[in-house]
Every structure is written in structure tokens, then in C-alpha cells.
Amino acid sequence: TALQLQTKVIVEDQREQEEIGRRRCNVVVHGLPESADGGAGGQSDEDNDRLTNLFLELNCDMSSVIDMVRLGRRTDNAGLKPRPMRLTLSSEGQKYKLHCKAKNLKGASNGLEKVFIHQDLTPKQREKRHQLMEELRLRISKGETELIIVNGKIVKRWKSKETRPALQADPGLVVPVAWRRGVAGVRIEIRRHG
């Protein structure tokens, strides 16, 4: 049974990786007001107009959107918060651009200040993120400050370059100086001290 258990774990990991691959060009938009008519397939002209306004506010190219779908069931109660909308973009680069510009929505007008854009996470990733958020809230309630989630871990936020850990003490250390995102992933440019 140990072999069966290992096989099951490997198969689950493979399925998770495949699902992550399918979602790699997707984003989920929360808080975008929903149209009254609903339209066929969860889409409507009103949703298209609102999405176009969102992309204009972010100064992004609307032509990169391949597909858009409202997630969840539609309810008759208009007072509830709007259903999230999943967007499939043409490339990971377009997704990255949209994420970079999404922070500008905080000061937006036209009712877009309550709109948030997130990655399309798998259920397993959402569960892990939820557990991290619970731990973060607990640690903050105990008095810890300047905490953020980075790469699946809770870490203290660096306030500036001067307060970062003393990496310059060893002249042979390699320190990242610039982070760039490519289509294939993240590349790091490095500089040697000394």
C-alpha cells in the first residue's frame, strides 16, 4: 500500500501542475459590477463595457482578452456582491502587465476603486493561501508588524535597502540587483560585491 500511496501522491501532483498550466494566462476580477440582464453564457454587453472601462483606466490593451466568464451562479438578489469574472489573456506577459497596473485601481474613479485583480488559483493553492492569511492575521493580532506573504511564506517587510540583512559583509556574496519577468519565468541579473 505504500507504493499505491506514493503513486497517488505523484498523480495528484501531476494533475495539480497541469491545472496550474491551464490557468497560467487567467486572472480573476473581483468587484466589477454585474449587469442586470446576465446575457447568454454569463456575458453581456454591459459586462463588456465595464471591462473596457477597466482596461482603459489601467491603460491596457483589451484585445489581449480571449475569453471572459462570470463565475458562480447568478442570484436574483441585487444587493449581493457581484460574481467574480475570470479573464483568459493571450499570454503570460499580458497577465503580468495587467497585474502590475492593477495597483493603480486604488485611486481610480468611476466605481473601480473596489475592483481587485488576482491570479486564477487552483483549489489547493487557494487553501494554502487561506491558511497563510489566517496565520498572518493571528500574528498581526499578537502585535507583530510589517509582515507580508512572499513565495508562500510570511516574512517581515524590508523598509529600505539600508534595513535589509547585511549581505554586503561578505565580498563574495551574489546579490540580486534587478528582477525581470520573461514569458518563460523570472530571470535575475546579479552583481558580485568586492
Side-chain angles (χ1 to χ4, degrees), residues 29 32-51 67-75 82-87:
V29 180
L32 195 65
E34 197 165 351
S35 64
D37 62 353
Q43 297 181 20
S44 72
D45 291 336
E46 203 172 321
D47 281 343
N48 281 331
D49 292 343
R50 287 190 175 123
L51 194 60
D67 187 33
M68 71 172 197
V69 176
R70 287 278 184 181
L71 302 175
R73 289 186 180 177
R74 184 174 182 81
T75 59
R83 295 180 294 165
M85 181 185 288
R86 182 185 64 217
L87 304 177

Side-chain angles (χ1 to χ4, degrees), residues 1-8:
T1 62
L3 182 61
Q4 289 175 337
L5 185 61
Q6 284 180 333
T7 304
K8 184 179 178 184

Side-chain angles (χ1 to χ4, degrees), residues 10-183:
I10 290 171
V11 168
E12 286 177 4
D13 286 346
Q14 285 176 338
R15 286 184 183 150
E16 180 74 10
Q17 291 305 314
E18 289 171 2
E19 186 66 23
I20 289 170
R22 279 193 291 272
R23 296 172 184 242
R24 76 180 194 282
C25 292
N26 293 351
V27 294
V28 179
V29 180
H30 294 272
L32 195 65
E34 197 165 351
S35 64
D37 62 353
Q43 297 181 20
S44 72
D45 291 336
E46 203 172 321
D47 281 343
N48 281 331
D49 292 343
R50 287 190 175 123
L51 194 60
T52 301
N53 287 338
L54 173 68
F55 274 69
L56 284 173
E57 182 76 30
L58 294 175
N59 198 19
C60 285
D61 184 18
M62 182 68 180
S63 66
S64 65
V65 177
I66 296 172
D67 187 33
M68 71 172 197
V69 176
R70 287 278 184 181
L71 302 175
R73 289 186 180 177
R74 184 174 182 81
T75 59
D76 293 333
N77 189 350
L80 293 176
K81 62 183 179 180
R83 295 180 294 165
M85 181 185 288
R86 182 185 64 217
L87 304 177
T88 302
L89 302 173
S90 58
S91 69
E92 285 183 80
Q94 292 293 329
K95 174 183 159 182
Y96 180 70
K97 280 183 193 176
L98 187 61
H99 273 290
C100 287
K101 293 181 178 186
K103 67 182 183 335
N104 298 332
L105 287 174
K106 285 184 182 178
S109 58
N110 305 333
L112 296 176
E113 63 276 353
K114 300 229 181 212
V115 174
F116 301 94
I117 300 174
H118 301 284
Q119 282 182 250
D120 186 12
L121 301 175
T122 66
K124 201 178 230 182
Q125 289 174 317
R126 284 194 302 264
E127 179 61 32
K128 184 176 180 184
R129 178 79 177 174
H130 179 73
Q131 290 171 354
L132 281 171
M133 289 300 295
E134 289 296 319
E135 182 183 345
L136 181 67
R137 286 185 192 108
L138 179 68
R139 288 175 64 177
I140 289 173
S141 71
K142 289 183 178 179
E144 290 188 62
T145 59
E146 299 294 325
L147 297 175
I148 57 172
I149 297 175
V150 178
N151 294 328
K153 295 179 185 173
I154 298 174
V155 296
K156 253 199 179 316
R157 181 188 316 258
W158 288 347
K159 292 182 183 167
S160 67
K161 291 180 181 178
E162 291 78 34
T163 60
R164 291 183 182 173
L167 294 176
Q168 286 77 13
D170 179 6
L173 276 178
V174 177
V175 181
V177 290
W179 297 76
R180 291 199 184 123
R181 178 97 174 162
V183 173

